[in-house]
Amino acid sequence: MSFVVEIRDHKFTLDKKTSILDIIRPYDPEKRAVAARVNNRVRELTYEVNRDCVVEILTVKDREAIKVYEASLRYVVAMAFARCYPELKIRFAYNVSRSISIHFRDQKAVATTAMLLKVTHEIDRIIAADFPLKRMKVSLEEAAKVYDELGYEDKKAILQYRPETNAHLYSCDGYLNYMYSHMVPSTGYLHDYKLRLYAPGFMLQYPRSEEEGVIPPFQDDPTFNRTLKESHDWAKIVGSDTVAGINNSIKNRGTIEFINLCEARHNRMLCELGQLIEDDIDDISLICVAGPSSSGKTTFANRLRIELLSRGINPIRISLDDYYLPKSQAPLDSEGKPDLEHIEALDIALFNQNMLDLINGETVTLPKFDFQLGKRVEGRTIHVGKNEPIIIEGIHALNDRMTIDIPKSAKFKIFIAPQAQLNIDDHNPLSLTDLRLIRRIVRDYKFRNASAEETLSMWPSVRAGEFRWIYACQEGSDYVYNSMLSYELPVMKKYALPLLHAIEVDSPYFPTAQRLIRMLKYFIDMPDEWVPSNSLMREFIGGSCYADV
């Protein structure tokens, strides 16, 4: 029985099972394809079709393909290190400049130029050899035996939490590993990467889909890097730097102790932050809070206010949303629609005038933006006195253009985001962007009656706005508040999975949903009854004591 495979404008009539790779090989001599979407499911190029289907070829310009490319590149880099320095165990983690850090498990080991040259030469040799990457299905027992032989204790630890009865391995020229991802057919598909020294280890750059498939210029972010290191150091102390470690902590410590342990860290950061502000309260007039979507800014601002009140400081909150211009005056985006994330969608001049007047002791009637009317109306009238700093929160709160008339010495800037280096195992980091996406999916459904599809449809635009307006301001902050809670994915799992499973196979967001499901499945379920009412977690799952504040 013959069948038809449709790829772009071509239709191929076949009479036997055939791999996508064999079909497209004559049309892709430079190996630019990375993966494929077959009837809306992401597949490896080695996937064999045997029925009518529509195939979309994915390249490094596609988000789902980049994840395949990046996982395959990690595989090859790990392979090169294993061959050049078999005595050294490496760990990958997402890091600054949208790159992957590589550091050594042995803290005495330090990366050198000689090491960089040797490993780069081996990576290039492996890519040039175009070794095939062959997938193998094995039982969990067989996988555990392989990991024992290779000294991969970290990989063995997660097997007990794998819901399936089997596992997969990839073989490449005698090297075995698994990256929890689809892979490219062979090493020759990995055209582009950059490996650089980044003390005490290395930094690996790869193409980015949001940059049209090219590697963006490297931009160091010392503040971000320091926060990640502090977070990882803490996670290692409490054993929550891996998925297996989190699961074990829940089982061994118990739900209540693990929740309180994580919450205690947030409390400690709030105390530290409160002390910094108290020490400089005579000069601080504005406390500016910003961070990417689903960072927990609302709960944080409320908890910060309580912390400051306990120190005799009475902050006043003002929302930047009340300074929106009418849509007719907003800048237009590339599609000719009002760009409400643009800083010039806000009345910068009025905001600065209001803030200056308040700082100078004047009484000010603030605007209030009525979203139903689509315009500003008269709001509350306020006066601020001694020890009454103004908290402003919003996407542009850290942007100096937003507070251009306010002296820098009068501003205290806080950047908030979940920042951690959480791994499935040493070679497989988890994306904190995906964590925020899961937070937003759960929150949008709970409080905005929005389906997971609706949230996923907006996410690319949200991410573009973050790169344009938020991350660039992080380095100028006075304090970075890490809103990550190590117990949150076990809690989120029961809320997120039904929403993700509800996405139909023909939805354009089905591949992303499947990827998030694969990430969540390794976490054990955790009840949320002991999550405190003032926890940042409550902002997403409900039950927050600040809901009506």
Side-chain angles (χ1 to χ4, degrees):
M1 179 76 71
S2 64
F3 57 94
V4 176
V5 178
E6 185 176 342
I7 304 179
R8 294 185 181 141
D9 297 328
H10 299 280
K11 291 185 178 181
F12 301 88
T13 302
L14 306 171
D15 55 13
K16 64 178 181 179
K17 186 182 289 187
T18 308
S19 73
I20 299 168
L21 185 62
D22 285 340
I23 298 173
I24 70 170
R25 200 187 305 271
Y27 305 93
D28 188 30
E30 296 183 352
K31 295 183 170 68
R32 294 299 174 183
V34 173
R37 189 179 283 119
V38 181
N39 288 346
N40 214 30
R41 285 182 179 267
V42 175
R43 302 288 191 183
E44 294 180 335
L45 294 178
T46 52
Y47 178 76
E48 294 181 325
V49 293
N50 62 356
R51 65 188 67 184
D52 292 350
C53 59
V54 176
V55 176
E56 180 185 355
I57 301 302
L58 304 176
T59 71
V60 289
K61 294 184 179 182
D62 298 292
R63 280 182 294 145
E64 292 301 325
I66 278 298
K67 295 186 180 297
V68 175
Y69 188 99
E70 180 244 311
S72 303
L73 182 60
R74 276 189 280 113
Y75 182 105
V76 167
V77 172
M79 178 179 174
F81 270 97
R83 293 189 165 178
C84 293
Y85 300 97
E87 73 282 4
L88 291 178
K89 290 187 176 182
I90 63 170
R91 179 184 172 105
F92 294 110
Y94 293 116
N95 210 296
V96 301
S97 196
R98 291 175 275 179
S99 304
I100 298 171
S101 66
I102 306 169
H103 64 265
F104 304 115
R105 276 301 199 177
D106 181 356
Q107 295 186 359
K108 295 179 181 178
V110 178
T112 64
T113 300
M115 190 180 291
L116 174 67
L117 294 173
K118 185 175 181 179
V119 171
T120 302
H121 182 269
E122 180 63 10
I123 294 171
D124 291 342
R125 186 193 71 80
I126 293 170
I127 293 173
D130 199 21
F131 294 126
L133 285 153
K134 299 178 181 178
R135 189 181 190 190
M136 306 157 48
K137 180 182 286 188
V138 298
S139 68
L140 294 183
E141 293 74 19
E142 290 173 312
K145 184 178 179 181
V146 169
Y147 291 155
D148 274 335
E149 292 172 352
L150 296 173
Y152 289 158
E153 298 90 352
D154 54 312
K155 291 182 181 293
K156 183 180 177 182
I158 196 64
L159 288 178
Q160 63 180 306
Y161 298 112
R162 185 176 175 87
E164 296 85 1
T165 58
N166 53 57
H168 296 96
L169 293 170
Y170 281 83
S171 172
C172 180
D173 192 38
Y175 175 75
L176 292 173
N177 207 335
Y178 182 53
M179 297 313 209
Y180 297 86
S181 170
H182 295 306
M183 304 290 277
V184 295
S186 60
T187 58
Y189 282 76
L190 302 171
H191 302 281
D192 204 7
Y193 78 94
K194 289 181 181 178
L195 186 67
R196 64 173 66 230
L197 288 171
Y198 193 84
F202 300 91
M203 198 66 76
L204 177 66
Q205 292 181 273
Y206 56 96
R208 302 292 304 196
S209 58
E210 68 270 16
E211 297 288 341
E212 292 297 306
V214 301
I215 298 175
F218 184 80
Q219 183 175 346
D220 198 7
D221 298 306
T223 301
F224 181 34
N225 183 55
R226 184 175 64 253
T227 305
L228 288 175
K229 183 180 184 306
E230 290 170 354
S231 177
H232 187 228
D233 289 344
W234 180 85
K236 285 193 296 183
I237 291 172
V238 299
S240 63
D241 61 330
T242 65
V243 176
I246 289 173
N247 291 343
N248 291 338
S249 289
I250 295 170
K251 291 197 302 185
N252 298 333
R253 296 179 184 276
T255 299
I256 296 175
E257 181 173 311
F258 190 51
I259 287 175
N260 285 327
L261 185 65
C262 298
E263 293 291 342
R265 184 163 179 264
H266 274 196
N267 293 338
R268 191 178 73 220
M269 285 190 289
L270 279 165
C271 182
E272 180 180 64
L273 183 51
Q275 188 64 55
L276 289 172
I277 293 172
E278 182 182 4
D279 290 344
D280 200 24
I281 191 59
D282 289 340
D283 294 322
I284 296 174
S285 299
L286 285 187
I287 299 174
C288 312
V289 181
S293 174
S294 302
S295 290
K297 294 182 288 294
T298 301
T299 299
F300 167 77
N302 279 302
R303 291 187 65 175
L304 176 61
R305 177 176 174 273
I306 298 298
E307 174 66 32
L308 294 178
L309 284 172
S310 74
R311 297 170 179 272
I313 300 169
N314 185 24
I316 295 171
R317 291 183 61 186
I318 292 178
S319 175
L320 287 179
D321 288 353
D322 289 327
Y323 288 85
Y324 269 117
L325 294 165
K327 279 188 179 182
S328 60
Q329 297 180 36
L332 302 180
D333 61 18
S334 58
E335 297 179 358
K337 299 177 181 178
D339 184 356
L340 300 182
E341 291 191 339
H342 200 289
I343 191 170
E344 290 178 9
L346 297 167
D347 193 332
I348 300 173
L350 177 62
F351 179 78
N352 276 269
Q353 186 61 56
N354 284 172
M355 295 306 103
L356 276 175
D357 289 345
L358 287 170
I359 291 170
N360 290 332
E362 298 182 34
T363 299
V364 174
T365 298
L366 301 174
K368 172 74 175 175
F369 195 89
D370 188 317
F371 285 90
Q372 288 187 328
L373 295 176
K375 65 178 183 179
R376 292 195 302 258
V377 296
E378 190 173 285
R380 56 190 169 138
T381 299
I382 65 171
H383 172 88
V384 300
K386 183 177 175 58
N387 288 355
E388 290 186 341
I390 301 165
I391 296 178
I392 61 168
E393 175 229 314
I395 184 174
H396 299 293
L398 300 187
N399 192 325
D400 281 329
R401 285 181 61 193
M402 195 68 231
T403 53
I404 192 168
D405 294 333
I406 312 300
K408 286 189 176 182
S409 60
K411 293 181 281 191
F412 190 93
K413 297 182 177 182
I414 304 170
F415 182 86
I416 175 174
Q419 297 184 334
Q421 293 181 325
L422 177 61
N423 285 46
I424 296 178
D425 58 46
D426 283 348
H427 295 160
N428 290 280
L430 291 182
S431 166
L432 267 295
T433 300
D434 283 345
L435 180 145
R436 288 193 296 108
L437 177 54
I438 290 169
R439 281 182 174 184
R440 180 152 178 163
I441 287 170
V442 171
R443 183 199 67 189
D444 285 1
Y445 177 78
K446 182 83 174 178
F447 298 107
R448 302 177 184 178
N449 198 29
S451 68
E453 278 191 278
E454 290 177 85
T455 299
L456 289 170
S457 70
M458 296 184 294
W459 194 242
S461 174
V462 170
R463 290 287 288 152
E466 290 171 354
F467 283 119
R468 185 177 185 185
W469 299 113
I470 297 178
Y471 292 124
C473 300
Q474 177 179 353
E475 285 302 307
S477 59
D478 296 293
Y479 191 91
V480 177
Y481 186 88
N482 186 353
S483 67
M484 171 73 179
L485 287 162
S486 295
Y487 70 80
E488 66 180 274
L489 286 173
V491 166
M492 286 280 199
K493 181 179 177 181
K494 69 183 176 193
Y495 293 99
L497 284 181
L499 304 178
L500 295 169
H501 280 302
I503 296 179
E504 301 288 345
V505 67
D506 58 350
S507 166
Y509 309 106
F510 181 79
T512 301
Q514 292 300 299
R515 175 170 55 78
L516 296 176
I517 290 169
R518 287 195 298 271
M519 180 180 82
L520 286 169
K521 73 180 181 181
Y522 287 99
F523 292 91
I524 63 175
D525 292 317
M526 179 175 163
D528 55 30
E529 60 183 316
W530 299 111
V531 175
S533 64
N534 70 340
S535 172
L536 186 141
M537 193 80 267
R538 290 291 179 187
E539 185 172 325
F540 306 99
I541 64 173
S544 173
C545 62
Y546 301 118
D548 298 321
V549 175

